[in-house]
Amino acid sequence: MFVCNLNLRPMKRSIFIPYIFAAFNFSCSSTKTLKFYQKPDDIVKTESLKQFLNNNKSPKVVLRIPQTSYSVTETDKKDLQSENFDYLYNAIENQLLASGFIVKDRQLFNQIIANDGNNINYQKLKEKSDTDLIIELTKLDSQVLYQTNKYYDKNNNEKVEKYGNRKKYGASVEFKLVLINSNEFAGVYRFNYTPCVDGCVISKSYKDIKKELKLFKKNGTKPYEGVEKDVLEDFIKSATIKLVKEMRK
């Protein structure tokens, strides 16, 4: 524990005074660390999939991405209809390729289904698309809220926060698998990214608080966009690796 000695000149009462003193008290305490426990993955799979992959070491797969796959804010809806999330789709497909799968063109596959309308014959679909397995991205949520009023001090002792809850965003992704030849549901795989599993330091210096106040007064409050792009991409890559491993178990 250390003590801060700062000479604060008298100032007129304003809406920022409570925030300043709360931040001042917070920054003068010992280091605080935020931790969340890893949310477990949820996996349901069939024996048929395991047998199929045992007999087909390099199956032909297609990644399907329906427009309803996402849980997003109103601000992000237009972005998801553009190509801004192609980097995630490509990350999944690249990892599937690296794992020995033969990845088919998803746009061509969707075009074949669109031409057939609602009368989809899976045997004909297999012949036309030359595909064995559909891996459908059924959900991607980059704004899974985690919150707590607990933190850990420098000695790893659990404490209770006096100034409300702490919030962080995690993510989740869900895949559904279908064996085309038998038109068989082969499994659902849901993977979770939990923030601060190894701890996030949440104490801030008085200098950092002053910078935040300056930006706040200049720009106002900015909307929180959820998990950062690079973190989300790493999570998707990791989730795809887990997907392949679980499929082949």
Side-chain angles (χ1 to χ4, degrees), residues 16-201:
F16 297 105
I17 289 179
Y19 181 85
I20 291 175
F21 279 100
F24 171 72
N25 290 332
F26 172 72
S27 64
C28 290
S29 65
S30 59
T31 300
K32 297 180 180 180
T33 302
L34 184 66
K35 293 181 182 179
F36 291 104
Y37 291 105
Q38 176 65 48
K39 188 174 181 180
D41 300 324
D42 188 10
I43 297 171
V44 178
K45 55 186 176 180
T46 65
E47 187 65 24
S48 298
L49 177 63
K50 180 180 179 180
Q51 293 176 359
F52 171 79
L53 292 176
N54 285 338
N55 296 327
N56 298 271
K57 301 302 181 182
S58 298
K60 300 172 183 177
V61 303
V62 65
L63 177 67
R64 290 204 66 198
I65 309 155
Q67 291 295 320
T68 57
S69 294
Y70 301 92
S71 174
V72 296
T73 62
E74 290 293 331
T75 305
D76 292 330
K77 282 184 179 178
K78 291 183 180 179
D79 291 337
L80 289 174
Q81 293 171 357
S82 67
E83 297 180 354
N84 291 355
F85 275 72
D86 269 356
Y87 76 100
L88 294 180
Y89 315 149
N90 292 335
I92 295 171
E93 291 177 328
N94 289 340
Q95 193 57 57
L96 292 173
L97 282 170
S99 300
F101 292 94
I102 299 172
V103 180
K104 309 298 288 187
D105 189 303
R106 62 178 182 267
Q107 293 181 345
L108 178 60
F109 185 86
N110 288 335
Q111 186 61 50
I112 292 172
I113 292 179
N115 291 340
D116 286 345
N118 294 324
N119 300 316
I120 299 176
N121 182 304
Y122 277 84
Q123 186 59 43
K124 290 183 178 179
L125 179 61
K126 176 178 172 58
E127 295 172 359
K128 290 182 179 180
S129 64
D130 190 26
T131 304
D132 301 312
L133 183 64
I134 298 173
I135 300 177
E136 185 175 352
L137 181 62
T138 53
K139 186 175 182 182
L140 172 58
D141 189 347
S142 63
Q143 295 181 329
V144 179
L145 182 62
Y146 289 78
Q147 56 184 334
T148 182
N149 66 344
K150 297 188 297 184
Y151 68 91
Y152 295 84
D153 63 18
K154 64 179 181 180
N155 297 318
N156 203 34
N157 295 316
E158 185 179 291
K159 302 288 185 179
V160 177
E161 181 62 70
K162 297 179 180 179
Y163 303 107
N165 292 336
R166 293 282 174 179
K167 299 179 181 179
K168 290 286 185 178
Y169 283 93
S172 67
V173 64
E174 184 177 278
F175 299 97
K176 174 184 174 182
L177 274 62
V178 176
L179 288 167
I180 296 182
N181 190 46
S182 59
N183 186 20
E184 182 179 355
F185 167 73
V188 173
Y189 300 75
R190 183 184 180 91
F191 303 104
N192 298 294
Y193 162 66
T194 303
C196 302
V197 171
D198 297 322
C200 298
V201 176

